[in-house]
Amino acid sequence: MSKITVAIDGYSSCGKSTLAKALAQKLNYNYIDTGAMYRAVTLYCLRNNIIVNSVVNLPMLLENLSAIQVSFVYNNITKSSEVFLNGEHVEKDIRTLEVANHVSKIASIKEVREKMVSLQREMGKHKGVIMDGRDIGTHVFPDAELKLFMTADNDVRAQRRLDELMSKGEHHTLDEVKHNIEKRDHDDTTRKESPLIQAKDAIVLDNTDLSKEEQLNYVVKLIDDFLLTKDTLVN
Ligand code: DC
């Protein structure tokens, strides 16, 4: 059966990567977490004093951009692609609240986006890919066969993210996490470069009251229906 491109965009912490990972495993597709790429660049900036006191030294970042290599390697144990920064596995280090607090600023920089988008297009050029982010259906793959726009209630999203951080040993308050999510949504939707907007042909998926299994089944059915219609039209 032919493979398609699935673009998943949406607000912060509404389960895009959970859905994308499960879909990729079920369909034997490649999963690319584009947020992880912007997080890896942010981690590099924090580690190399390109971000100091929350201020980004733009000339220094641009000077270093060609030295920042972001890649993915498939992990057979977690059954998912994991992100590497200049050859170092950073999957855990990029998930801290510190990185989350600075990533929107880094993701708003034109040159950073150009570099990441070109990598993303290269990684997805053979289809059979599930890519999640903020601009996948609108900018990276505007011709994706299936576009989803995910959302969920703010309190539910904050609680889910807090649980995830706690399970990794990071302790924060619900208010702190909610503030981070709302600030990122605001920054991501109002920035000049490829802001987060719903693609005209995207299907909205509000998972406030859906379990992981329910949302996975719903999307698998959408893909099955799409492929069936396509194959019927071709034959
Ligand atoms: O999906 P995430 O929370 O890991 O993404 C981290 C940040 O990266 C998010 O605040 C917005 C930015 N981002 C983006 O601007 N474009 C993408 N395609 C993916 C993420």
Side-chain angles (χ1 to χ4, degrees):
M1 200 182 265
S2 50
K3 291 196 168 186
I4 63 169
T5 300
V6 181
I8 305 181
D9 292 301
Y11 296 105
S12 291
S13 299
C14 58
K16 297 184 297 295
S17 58
T18 303
L19 171 65
K21 256 184 221 170
L23 264 182
Q25 280 179 25
K26 183 144 188 135
L27 305 173
N28 200 16
Y29 275 35
N30 194 11
Y31 165 52
I32 307 292
D33 174 355
T34 65
M37 300 170 74
Y38 293 100
R39 284 171 181 264
V41 176
T42 305
L43 181 66
Y44 180 95
C45 293
L46 287 165
R47 284 177 173 179
N48 291 279
N49 297 323
I50 294 172
I51 301 175
V52 177
N53 295 327
S54 297
V55 177
V56 180
N57 182 333
L58 187 59
M60 195 173 166
L61 171 55
L62 298 185
E63 220 173 276
N64 277 262
L65 202 51
S66 61
I68 307 178
Q69 302 300 330
V70 179
S71 55
F72 288 91
V73 175
Y74 185 77
N75 181 332
N76 250 322
I77 298 166
T78 60
K79 301 266 177 265
S80 192
S81 294
E82 296 186 346
V83 72
F84 283 68
L85 170 63
N86 292 340
E88 178 192 346
H89 180 254
V90 290
E91 196 55 43
K92 187 162 180 274
D93 298 24
I94 59 165
R95 308 282 167 200
T96 62
L97 198 57
E98 195 197 11
V99 170
N101 279 334
H102 295 94
V103 64
S104 287
K105 208 173 262 178
I106 295 299
S108 70
I109 297 168
K110 183 167 159 270
E111 291 82 354
V112 171
R113 298 203 73 81
E114 284 170 355
K115 177 167 171 150
M116 295 304 120
V117 168
S118 122
L119 279 171
Q120 289 154 14
R121 288 187 176 144
E122 183 60 31
M123 291 188 281
K125 69 181 178 192
H126 298 304
K127 295 197 177 278
V129 71
I130 319 270
M131 200 171 275
D132 79 340
R134 304 296 187 287
D135 59 342
I136 311 305
T138 50
H139 182 61
V140 182
F141 288 115
D143 295 331
E145 288 85 352
L146 179 65
K147 298 180 188 178
L148 297 172
F149 189 85
M150 288 181 65
T151 184
D153 174 82
N154 288 9
D155 289 313
V156 171
R157 290 193 283 145
Q159 188 61 54
R160 286 178 187 160
R161 182 46 63 103
L162 180 66
D163 293 345
E164 187 192 325
L165 287 166
M166 302 264 273
S167 74
K168 291 176 182 159
E170 259 204 77
H171 294 274
H172 300 282
T173 65
L174 187 62
D175 269 358
E176 255 182 299
V177 175
K178 193 172 168 196
H179 174 75
N180 170 263
I181 287 174
E182 291 178 345
K183 169 139 188 7
R184 279 202 290 144
D185 285 347
H186 175 265
D187 292 349
D188 296 339
T189 49
T190 55
R191 71 177 175 225
K192 198 165 138 257
E193 297 295 328
S194 307
L196 167 66
I197 44 166
Q198 186 188 323
K200 281 195 209 78
D201 47 352
I203 296 171
V204 177
L205 175 52
D206 181 334
N207 66 14
T208 306
D209 299 312
L210 288 182
S211 70
K212 288 176 191 169
E213 292 70 31
E214 284 169 330
Q215 79 172 358
L216 177 62
N217 292 339
Y218 170 73
V219 180
V220 167
K221 181 155 178 5
L222 283 178
I223 296 175
D224 283 348
D225 289 349
F226 174 85
L227 290 174
L228 211 65
T229 317
K230 189 171 157 249
D231 288 346
T232 312
L233 288 176
V234 169
N235 293 327

